[in-house]
Amino acid sequence: MFDSLSDKLERAFKVLKGQGQVTEINIAETVKEIRRALLDADVSYKVAKQFTDTVKEKALGQNVINAVSPNQLMVKITHDELAKLMGGGMADINISGNPAVILISGLQGSGKTTFSGKLANYLKTKKGKSPLLVAGDVYRPAAIDQLHVLGEQVGVEVWSDKENKNPVDIAKQAVIHAKSKGHNVVIIDTAGRLAIDEQMMNEIEQVKKAVNPQETLFVVDSMTGQDAVNTAKAFNDKLDFDGVVLTKLDGDTRGGAALSIRTVVDKPIKFVGTGEKMEALDIFYPERMADRILG
Ligand code: GDP
């Protein structure tokens, strides 16, 4: 995860290490290398520039030039700014309400259904909740079957109705069912398309209005680079979601989405997917992610 970014940042800091004397010029050089590393990781130019301007300002303000260990101070400044860029503190999900309704949005293939299963598993095993999973994809019967398989794996009931082609109706019926069966969380997996289209957006907006979820989460494949950020923006404009789930962080992702999303949509990353298994879900801690990036 983020291997290339980590390597390039490490190289950037070597600029300072290799110099007999630290000057404003070699700080500028380091900062330029940091910017290049971010751009290579698919961070947008605007975000990368803002970031490196801040790092440079802090480096000069904290007098890296005269520091005993200029290299370490520079790493620390970059670390703190990376954590800030990714949102600072950890952002929890809201599961108050009985039942708490969580709506899962995103493009097809982003990992929505897998995440729905993982979230149900997490809430059941770690939070002592009794979730109901809801198959809201009325276009792909295979997606409904997939959710049933996952539900069975994690021992969570799945609500579906293959005859019903109205996702708003399915969601409402599911909430009624959850209440009658004592489920205190309802996780609604929704249909996704390969690209954003108006019908899909209107449909999920209608579902949101009908069930008034405590949490609307946007799931995005971290491997899709700057597209991930553009998709996030389109979904946020329509849905005003509460948080982001970054999937496939176990793959060879360059990291741009993790670093840019907060700045672009001003919504926190709440979870990351780190594999196909139901246990491969982590809560997102910006500080820990910054630790990982800087090795
Ligand atoms: P959906 O169309 O958005 O519901 O996407 P799926 O949940 O069906 O996921 C698409 C593919 O990505 C499946 O093959 C999943 O096993 C895989 N997948 C989902 N999340 C992760 C993850 O965090 N890591 C990896 N490696 N694969 C994932």
Side-chain angles (χ1 to χ4, degrees):
M1 180 196 307
F2 304 160
D3 287 347
S4 161
L5 175 61
S6 297
D7 287 351
K8 284 181 183 143
L9 286 174
E10 198 178 323
R11 237 176 290 149
F13 298 122
K14 278 205 179 117
V15 173
L16 282 184
K17 234 181 188 168
Q19 302 291 330
Q21 202 185 4
V22 175
T23 64
E24 221 170 287
I25 293 172
N26 48 43
I27 287 178
E29 176 81 4
T30 307
V31 166
K32 209 166 107 191
E33 289 295 322
I34 295 174
R35 186 181 305 175
R36 199 170 295 156
L38 293 175
L39 291 173
D40 285 349
D42 250 342
V43 174
S44 74
Y45 181 79
K46 197 172 147 216
V47 173
K49 181 166 185 328
Q50 255 173 24
F51 182 87
T52 44
D53 285 351
T54 310
V55 168
K56 189 170 168 190
E57 199 181 300
K58 293 243 158 102
L60 296 173
Q62 290 181 35
N63 211 349
V64 167
I65 293 172
N66 292 323
V68 181
S69 172
N71 185 54
Q72 271 175 22
L73 183 53
M74 197 67 181
V75 173
K76 181 172 184 329
I77 291 169
T78 308
H79 172 279
D80 293 351
E81 289 307 311
L82 276 177
K84 240 190 252 171
L85 184 67
M86 290 184 284
M90 177 268 244
D92 220 341
I93 59 165
N94 178 6
I95 42 169
S96 60
N98 203 3
V101 177
I102 306 176
L103 185 66
I104 313 296
S105 68
L107 293 180
Q108 188 177 316
S110 60
K112 278 189 313 300
T113 305
T114 307
F115 170 70
S116 299
K118 288 177 180 178
L119 182 64
N121 183 49
Y122 166 78
L123 293 175
K124 182 184 163 189
T125 57
K126 300 278 186 339
K127 301 278 180 185
K129 293 283 178 183
S130 166
L132 176 70
L133 279 163
V134 182
D137 189 338
V138 295
Y139 308 102
R140 292 191 313 134
I144 300 175
D145 298 340
Q146 186 190 350
L147 197 65
H148 275 283
V149 170
L150 297 179
E152 200 150 303
Q153 260 180 45
V154 299
V156 167
E157 190 189 345
V158 177
W159 171 267
S160 67
D161 182 356
K162 276 190 178 164
E163 303 310 312
N164 193 341
K165 296 291 174 207
N166 181 342
V168 171
D169 195 40
I170 293 174
K172 281 184 175 166
Q173 295 295 335
V175 173
I176 293 169
H177 176 78
K179 278 183 185 156
S180 75
K181 292 282 171 157
H183 291 288
N184 44 21
V185 181
V186 178
I187 300 167
I188 306 176
D189 185 19
T190 59
R193 304 285 157 79
L194 291 172
I196 295 157
D197 72 47
E198 192 146 341
Q199 194 201 341
M200 170 182 81
M201 286 302 199
N202 288 338
E203 187 182 290
I204 192 163
E205 195 183 21
Q206 294 305 318
V207 174
K208 183 172 178 183
K209 274 193 190 138
V211 295
N212 197 18
Q214 267 76 11
E215 281 276 331
T216 301
L217 296 175
F218 166 69
V219 180
V220 67
D221 180 343
S222 64
M223 307 281 281
T224 57
Q226 294 214 16
D227 272 352
V229 178
N230 297 334
T231 313
K233 195 168 177 326
F235 271 81
N236 194 45
D237 287 348
K238 195 77 175 177
L239 285 181
D240 190 19
F241 56 67
D242 302 294
V244 177
V245 179
L246 266 186
T247 62
K248 310 184 195 180
L249 236 71
D250 50 313
D252 190 18
T253 173
R254 286 191 279 174
L259 296 169
S260 309
I261 274 185
R262 180 71 199 229
T263 307
V264 177
V265 297
D266 198 21
K267 296 289 166 66
I269 299 170
K270 296 196 171 184
F271 291 99
V272 294
T274 56
E276 296 186 77
K277 296 221 172 83
M278 287 295 95
E279 296 75 31
L281 181 71
D282 287 341
I283 292 168
F284 184 76
Y285 294 97
E287 283 278 339
R288 287 188 205 167
M289 197 54 81
D291 289 349
R292 260 171 145 161
I293 292 172
L294 290 178

